[in-house]
Amino acid sequence: LSHRKLDFTNNWTSRGNVTDSASNAIDVGDNAKPIFADINGNGVYHLFIGCGDGRIKFYRNTGTNASPVWNAPGSYVKDTNGDDIDVGNNSRPMFANIRGINPARYDLFIGDNNGDIVYYENNGSGGPWDGSTTTWPFIKNIYKNGLLTDNKTVTKTFTGGSLIPVN
């Protein structure tokens, strides 16, 4: 392997802007951070976009992973109280089954421009990804008002014994 030349060239082809089911370009403003998640475990990935204004926009995939159809017009992710989840600026969402629940229940972690990480627990009540409800399952973790960090020195222990250092 040390004598072979490795080629890491990507041959990407531009497909243009990502569009929703109404053929509108998906544009959330500055600092878009898209992430795809199989949030309900059915094998279909949905689109969540962290926005520069601190919110997260959700587009339900009514197609397939090979040919996604992003349901227009999209909606902002909310907590169980119906309030927009908003970290103030430059949201960077990530989902993880951090508690090891089976079937998987993906909690929401959001980084922001200040280096904080905000944690929302998924209560398992479902969400708009299946098209049957408009409610959201995310409950803000009460530890330090949802923050996992405090000047980048705090660690947080989750149910199930997982320890996450965030320094």
Side-chain angles (χ1 to χ4, degrees):
L1 186 63
S2 62
H3 297 11
R4 293 178 24 191
K5 181 179 177 185
L6 300 177
D7 182 7
F8 294 104
T9 304
N10 291 315
N11 295 314
W12 298 100
T13 301
S14 174
R15 305 269 186 222
N17 291 329
V18 176
T19 58
D20 63 19
S21 58
S23 299
N24 297 313
I26 294 177
D27 183 357
V28 297
D30 294 335
N31 299 317
K33 170 68 168 99
I35 185 166
F36 301 92
D38 178 14
I39 192 78
N40 59 342
N42 68 352
V44 177
Y45 284 83
H46 303 284
L47 174 59
F48 294 82
I49 307 171
C51 305
D53 69 3
R55 297 182 296 170
I56 302 167
K57 193 127 188 206
F58 167 72
Y59 287 87
R60 182 172 154 248
N61 183 357
T62 58
T64 65
N65 293 333
S67 296
V69 177
W70 309 115
N71 199 36
S75 59
Y76 287 104
V77 176
K78 300 181 181 307
D79 61 20
T80 54
N81 295 325
D83 298 321
D84 286 355
I85 292 178
D86 187 343
V87 296
N89 53 38
N90 296 325
S91 65
R92 302 292 185 251
M94 175 60 73
F95 294 92
N97 183 19
I98 199 76
R99 296 173 289 147
I101 295 172
N102 189 8
R105 190 179 300 167
Y106 294 96
D107 295 332
L108 172 60
F109 297 83
I110 312 163
D112 69 10
N113 201 46
N114 298 319
D116 293 325
I117 301 170
V118 181
Y119 169 50
Y120 284 83
E121 185 176 306
N122 181 337
N123 70 8
S125 65
W129 27 87
D130 66 4
S132 66
T133 183
T134 57
T135 61
W136 296 87
F138 300 117
I139 301 170
K140 192 172 197 176
N141 187 290
I142 59 170
Y143 175 81
K144 293 192 178 271
N145 196 29
L147 292 179
L148 294 180
T149 59
D150 185 8
N151 295 324
K152 301 183 184 3
T153 59
V154 173
T155 58
K156 170 72 171 126
T157 303
F158 292 90
T159 306
S162 298
L163 184 66
I164 299 177
V166 288
N167 53 353

